[in-house]
Amino acid sequence: MALNRPALAEGVRGGIVLSIAVILLAILGLTPSLSWIPEIPLIAAAIAAPVVGYALTGYRAGRRSGRMAAGGLAGTIAGGISGVVGGTAYVLFGKPLLNIVVGLLLGAIAGGLIGAGGGALGRR
């Protein structure tokens, strides 16, 4: 129980915050009328926001529980949530439904790995 409660709470919180960032980046990057926005800063933000978000989510869960595994679990939850939101944003802009599944899997895997690293740092 000491592992699951902080991981779930921090994972959901991190997933919601990252989902807001994903929605904003999707609007900025996929809306045709905003095509004047340079692509490189958007790509950099689309990479940096999840990495920082998953690491902080894992760190907070690891700090609360004292276990690295809580960080990995929290990162997986946050990654799954934000990945589904990102995939759904692509679908809403006319891309294939497969983007939802790919977003879920990539988000959960990346979130778990990066969150575990944050959880390890949170234990110290």
Side-chain angles (χ1 to χ4, degrees):
M1 189 60 82
L3 171 68
N4 294 338
R5 193 168 293 175
L8 181 61
E10 295 300 335
V12 170
R13 178 182 298 146
I16 290 169
V17 170
L18 282 169
S19 293
I20 294 167
V22 165
I23 291 168
L24 177 64
L25 288 168
I27 291 169
L28 293 174
L30 297 172
T31 303
S33 63
L34 296 176
S35 62
W36 57 269
I37 298 174
E39 217 173 288
I40 300 298
L42 284 175
I43 291 171
I47 292 170
V51 169
V52 170
Y54 300 151
L56 286 174
T57 298
Y59 177 83
R60 289 176 55 92
R63 188 112 164 117
R64 283 182 57 191
S65 71
R67 296 176 183 233
M68 181 181 83
L73 182 57
T76 299
I77 293 167
I81 293 170
S82 62
V84 166
V85 170
T88 303
Y90 267 84
V91 170
L92 293 176
F93 280 93
K95 308 296 184 198
L97 282 172
L98 182 61
N99 282 295
I100 296 173
V101 175
V102 170
L104 171 66
L105 293 175
L106 290 178
I109 291 167
L113 293 173
I114 296 168
L121 292 174
R123 284 186 43 204
R124 295 183 180 198

